């Protein structure tokens, strides 16, 4: 329906007492410019069908205009607020306004929609309220003939209006969550930049402390008693520990850039053998690679970081004389699946979910007497999730641990 209005002068309207709050609520919903959405269009179609009217609208009442968030039966997208039926309806937010014959209502008798062609002679609108009580607009139905709604139609119109209110509230919550997420992203970026700067700035002084302790021992070692030498050893070991901690922080935050690198083809055995060489293992250790040496296509750099942490943990957290590590692999059309199985000290059942949390340390020390920093496994999980994979742990205390993970295949 195309509605044409006559040239009747504009009509003075009443303004809700909470107009400022109402307009502020509309601004928070960010409904301008008004764009069509299926969820709202479905409601106006249903309202028109139930009420048997040719036109149904979801309207938004702005300061000077009324916009149609959804319109069934008309192509009108906006009108001046002072000729809007809905601007009268929002004056009583809790009540359905029904005008059975607009020609007989002094508010609308001279309204250009009443005198225009085709005329709007029937109106029923249910205000749409925000949680703060402000009326944002209406769900309304219109007809070109005088009529009335039965009780069932009125209740249905109210129920549909409630669904529109729910959609508006969901929109408000989503906008709030989006704002919070943006703020968190900014703060996270600032934190990462700060951590990276501090970590880099601390590496050189720590290296100087380690070198200086070695120089002191070499040059003045014969002048130090046993306790003095122990102090130097403690200073050097503490510096190494702090240096490893800083390196872990850098790797954790720099892991974001690993998944952005280009993928490549490589064979699994070559990847794992390179990592084993890098670890420079001097324990009695057997590492069994997957039986089949498959060629895979993926992010080699990220997988190197993952396996370096997992195999390193299997080497460190064990009390057995002979370390045995089994690495498994399988694949399907969507994912690559890996597992690192060891015969180490194991993880208590009630602690297995915690091990992937940043800075969580369960064991008092590793086989060399050093305490971990709780960064490695958090970095591993972060990398795996960024590769659209998943990770889980199976473990028994004093029996060993198996960490299984998947990464999505890259075509």
């Amino acid at each position: 329906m195309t509605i044409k209005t006559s040239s009747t002068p504009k009509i003075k309207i009443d303004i809700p007492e909470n107009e400022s709050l109402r307009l502020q609520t509309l601004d928070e919903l960010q409904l301008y410019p008004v764009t069509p959405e299926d969820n709202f269009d479905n409601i106006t179609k249903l309202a028109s069908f139930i009420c048997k009217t040719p036109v149904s609208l979801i309207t938004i009442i702005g300061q000077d205009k009324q916009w149609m968030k959804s319109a069934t039966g008309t192509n009108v997208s906006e009108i001046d607020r002072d000729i809007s039926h809905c601007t009268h309806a929002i004056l009583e937010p809790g009540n359905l306004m029904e005008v059975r014959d607009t020609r007989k209502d002094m508010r609308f008798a001279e309204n250009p929609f009443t005198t225009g062609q085709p005329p709007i002679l029937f109106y029923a609108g249910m205000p749409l309220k925000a949680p703060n009580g402000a009326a944002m607009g209406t769900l309304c139905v219109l007809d070109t003939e005088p009529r009335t709604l039965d009780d069932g139609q009125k209740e249905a119109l109210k129920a549909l209006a409630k669904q529109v209110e729910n959609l508006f509230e969901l929109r408000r919550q989503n906008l709030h969550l989006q704002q919070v997420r943006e703020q968190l992203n900014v703060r996270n970026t600032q934190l990462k930049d700060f951590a990276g700067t501090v970590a880099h700035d601390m590496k050189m002084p720590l290296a100087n402390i380690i070198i200086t302790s070695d120089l002191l021992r070499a040059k003045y070692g014969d002048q130090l008693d046993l306790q003095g030498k122990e102090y130097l050893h403690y200073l050097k070991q503490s510096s190494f520990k702090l240096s490893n901690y800083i390196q872990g922080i850098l790797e954790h935050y720099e892991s974001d850039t690993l998944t952005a690198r280009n993928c490549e083809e490589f064979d699994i055995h070559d990847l794992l053998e390179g990592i084993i060489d890098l670890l420079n293992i001097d324990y009695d250790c057997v590492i069994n690679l997957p039986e089949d040496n498959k060629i895979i296509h993926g992010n080699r750099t990220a997988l190197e970081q993952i396996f370096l942490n997992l195999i390193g943990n299997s080497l460190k957290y064990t009390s057995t004389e002979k370390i045995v590590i089994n690495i498994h692999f399988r694949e399907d059309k969507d994912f690559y699946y890996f597992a690192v199985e060891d015969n180490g000290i194991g993880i208590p059942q009630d602690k297995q979910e915690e091990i992937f949390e940043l800075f969580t340390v369960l064991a008092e020390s590793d086989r060399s007497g050093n305490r971990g920093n709780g960064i490695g496994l958090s970095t591993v999980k972060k990398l795996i999730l960024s590769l659209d994979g998943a990770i889980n742990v199976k473990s028994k205390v004093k029996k060993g641990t198996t960490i299984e993970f998947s990464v999505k295949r890259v075509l």
Side-chain angles (χ1 to χ4, degrees):
M1 176 187 296
T2 300
I3 303 173
K4 296 181 180 180
T5 63
S6 66
S7 59
T8 305
K10 292 183 177 182
I11 302 166
K12 186 178 183 302
I13 57 171
D14 293 328
I15 301 296
E17 293 181 358
N18 63 348
E19 180 72 357
S20 297
L21 175 64
R22 201 185 66 78
L23 294 176
Q24 179 183 342
T25 303
L26 287 176
D27 288 340
E28 291 173 354
L29 281 172
Q30 299 180 23
L31 290 169
Y32 314 120
V34 177
T35 55
E37 296 181 48
D38 288 342
N39 287 335
F40 295 99
D41 291 343
N42 291 336
I43 290 175
T44 54
K45 290 175 184 177
L46 190 56
S48 186
F49 175 79
I50 292 172
C51 296
K52 296 181 171 55
T53 58
V55 178
S56 176
L57 308 171
I58 294 174
T59 66
I60 304 297
I61 308 297
Q63 184 170 358
D64 300 309
K65 294 284 186 179
Q66 170 182 298
W67 287 274
M68 294 16 164
K69 178 62 180 173
S70 175
T72 293
T74 181
N75 57 2
V76 176
S77 59
E78 66 176 65
I79 62 172
D80 290 336
R81 179 177 176 179
D82 54 10
I83 60 172
S84 162
H85 298 71
C86 299
T87 199
H88 296 274
I90 65 172
L91 296 175
E92 298 184 39
N95 298 322
L96 174 71
M97 186 180 92
E98 183 181 34
V99 183
R100 299 177 180 180
D101 189 339
T102 57
R103 296 170 300 184
K104 298 179 181 180
D105 190 307
M106 61 180 297
R107 296 171 296 178
F108 307 111
E110 300 300 322
N111 187 290
F113 286 111
T114 303
T115 59
Q117 291 297 324
I120 298 299
L121 302 182
F122 170 79
Y123 172 88
M126 185 64 199
L128 304 171
K129 293 192 301 180
N132 61 12
M136 300 168 284
T138 73
L139 170 63
C140 63
V141 292
L142 305 95
D143 205 340
T144 57
E145 298 178 357
R147 53 168 304 165
T148 185
L149 300 181
D150 61 34
D151 290 341
Q153 290 170 327
K154 291 178 181 178
E155 291 303 314
L157 197 61
K158 292 177 182 178
L160 291 173
K162 180 60 67 176
Q163 293 306 309
V164 178
E165 292 174 354
N166 292 340
L167 289 173
F168 282 160
E169 176 60 13
L170 183 61
R171 178 185 180 86
R172 187 191 67 78
Q173 293 176 4
N174 286 339
L175 289 171
H176 176 69
L177 289 175
Q178 181 180 346
Q179 184 181 30
V180 171
R181 183 175 60 184
E182 290 172 354
Q183 292 173 348
L184 288 175
N185 285 339
V186 170
R187 292 178 182 178
N188 187 46
T189 299
Q190 292 172 340
L191 178 61
K192 287 165 63 176
D193 292 343
F194 174 76
T197 300
V198 171
H200 279 294
D201 289 349
M202 290 179 67
K203 288 181 72 175
M204 185 56 70
L206 279 172
N208 289 336
I209 292 173
I210 293 170
I211 293 171
T212 301
S213 64
D214 285 338
L215 288 174
L216 286 172
R217 178 181 289 274
K219 189 170 183 178
Y220 302 104
D222 56 347
Q223 301 178 34
L224 296 173
D225 58 14
L226 181 61
Q227 189 175 37
K229 293 178 180 179
E230 286 179 353
Y231 285 154
L232 278 180
H233 177 74
Y234 177 76
L235 178 64
K236 183 176 179 179
Q237 291 302 111
S238 297
S239 298
F240 271 124
K241 184 176 181 180
L242 184 55
S243 179
N244 290 335
Y245 186 76
I246 291 171
Q247 185 61 37
I249 292 176
L250 287 173
E251 289 175 356
H252 181 79
Y253 286 117
E254 290 173 355
S255 65
D256 289 338
T257 63
L258 292 181
T259 54
R261 299 179 184 177
N262 293 329
C263 295
E264 58 185 293
E265 280 193 350
F266 55 92
D267 67 73
I268 299 173
H269 281 193
D270 180 63
L271 170 76
L272 295 172
E273 287 167 356
I275 292 170
I276 292 168
D277 289 342
L278 187 62
L279 288 168
N280 192 26
I281 302 168
D282 57 1
Y283 308 127
D284 184 3
C285 176
V286 174
I287 299 179
N288 297 310
L289 304 184
E291 291 185 7
D292 297 327
N293 185 19
K294 295 284 187 177
I295 303 293
I296 65 175
H297 187 262
N299 192 315
R300 178 171 183 146
T301 305
L303 282 173
E304 285 176 344
Q305 185 69 52
I306 292 167
F307 276 112
L308 193 61
N309 275 284
L310 295 182
I311 298 174
N313 282 349
S314 294
L315 293 171
K316 290 188 291 185
Y317 297 104
T318 181
S319 58
T320 59
E321 292 185 8
K322 183 173 184 178
I323 302 171
V324 178
I325 301 172
N326 299 311
I327 302 174
H328 306 281
F329 171 80
R330 64 184 178 88
E331 62 183 320
D332 60 26
K333 63 183 181 66
D334 296 315
F335 289 91
Y336 297 123
Y337 301 91
F338 302 91
V340 178
E341 174 190 6
D342 64 44
N343 61 341
I345 60 176
I347 305 166
Q349 181 70 34
D350 61 342
K351 301 294 184 182
Q352 292 179 13
E353 291 297 323
E354 299 178 21
I355 63 172
F356 299 109
E357 296 177 7
L358 188 61
F359 303 129
T360 296
V361 180
L362 299 183
E364 289 297 324
S365 62
D366 61 22
R367 67 182 292 143
S368 300
N370 300 315
R371 181 175 171 82
N373 52 39
I375 299 175
L377 286 179
S378 175
T379 303
V380 165
K381 183 176 181 179
K382 187 179 178 184
L383 283 169
I384 290 170
L385 292 179
S386 68
L387 296 172
D388 297 323
I391 186 169
N392 67 82
V393 58
K394 298 177 181 177
S395 185
K396 291 185 178 180
V397 176
K398 298 182 180 180
K399 295 292 185 180
T401 298
T402 300
I403 292 185
E404 301 171 332
F405 69 94
S406 62
V407 297
K408 192 173 182 62
R409 296 182 69 137
V410 180
L411 301 178

